[in-house]
Amino acid sequence: DAGITQSPRHKVTETGTPVTLRCHQTENHRYMYWYRQDPGHGLRLIHYSYGVKDTDKGEVSDGYSVSRSKTEDFLLTLESATSSQTSVYFCAISGPDLGYEQYFGPGTRLTVT
Amino acid sequence: GIQVEQSPPDLILQEGANSTLRCNFSDSVNNLQWFHQNPWGQLINLFYIPSGTKQNGRLSATTVATERYSLLYISSSQTTDSGVYFCAADYGNNRLAFGKGNQVVVIP
């Protein structure tokens, strides 16, 4: 699993509440990513980071923000959760030390009621 | 943006059978990865294959970048091969675009 953990693993929250998901890695890989997985869509890129304080938007970034203040942590925040953000969220890591191959964490199942 | 299409979407196999999964992509890509998502949701790396052919046990993959497709071969399938297979294309700066997956069920 390339030393990737995600927390929480499961969360149920109400519409309009803020939610933060955490991705933690133990091996100082440079690149980190957040994806969401929905039925019929495969995985879609939300945000990514090439280093500390270096982040950018992916294809489905509306309603999400990210922060990376330390190499090992990449946080995904839903400022005001909506039912359309019910999904499974995956974090991934990559970097030159991995030959740029991406490795995924175990996922977080988020339900917004 | 780049489009990644996988076929067939669903496949049922008798244990021991062979199969081929196909991934087409609409534009030039830097790299291509294949993943297996097991029934517990875990994404497992299978191949990192920008071009050429690689083999790992009963699985092998071929990418023909000039023709914009990749193939994943499963030989002598086992029930543990069940799950969803995803291909993902690196369309620049190490960002991946995923196909919708091939749902494979292997029956004993």
Side-chain angles (χ1 to χ4, degrees), chain A residues 50-61:
Chain A
Y50 291 152
V52 173
K53 297 183 181 180
D54 182 5
T55 65
D56 209 342
K57 297 179 179 180
E59 61 176 309
V60 290
S61 60

Side-chain angles (χ1 to χ4, degrees), chain B residues 16-80:
Chain B
N18 303 326
S19 65
T20 300
L21 310 179
R22 186 176 179 103
C23 173
N24 292 331
F25 38 95
S26 62
D27 206 345
S28 300
V29 299
N30 297 324
N31 287 301
L32 190 115
Q33 288 189 239
W34 282 96
F35 298 89
H36 175 218
Q37 188 169 39
N38 64 23
W40 296 271
Q42 184 182 6
L43 284 159
I44 300 165
N45 290 44
L46 296 178
F47 294 100
Y48 179 79
I49 183 167
S51 63
T53 297
K54 291 185 177 180
Q55 180 149 10
N56 185 0
R58 295 181 296 101
L59 301 181
S60 63
T62 295
T63 296
V64 184
T66 54
E67 297 186 21
R68 300 180 183 171
Y69 73 89
S70 184
L71 303 174
L72 180 69
Y73 307 94
I74 306 173
S75 64
S76 304
S77 58
Q78 300 177 359
T79 56
T80 53

Side-chain angles (χ1 to χ4, degrees), chain A residues 1 31 33 35 37 40-45 48 50 57 59 90 94-95 99-106, chain B residues 31 33 35 37 40-43 45-48 84 86 90-101:
Chain A
D1 63 0
Y31 302 164
Y33 308 81
Y35 293 85
Q37 183 178 22
H41 285 281
L43 279 78
R44 293 179 290 175
L45 182 63
Y48 56 100
Y50 291 152
K57 297 179 179 180
E59 61 176 309
F90 285 96
S94 183
Y100 299 103
E101 187 170 352
Q102 288 192 25
Y103 291 86
F104 284 78
Chain B
N31 287 301
Q33 288 189 239
F35 298 89
Q37 188 169 39
W40 296 271
Q42 184 182 6
L43 284 159
N45 290 44
L46 296 178
F47 294 100
Y48 179 79
V84 183
F86 289 104
D90 177 351
Y91 58 98
N93 294 327
N94 205 217
R95 296 169 297 173
L96 293 181
F98 279 75
K100 295 181 179 181

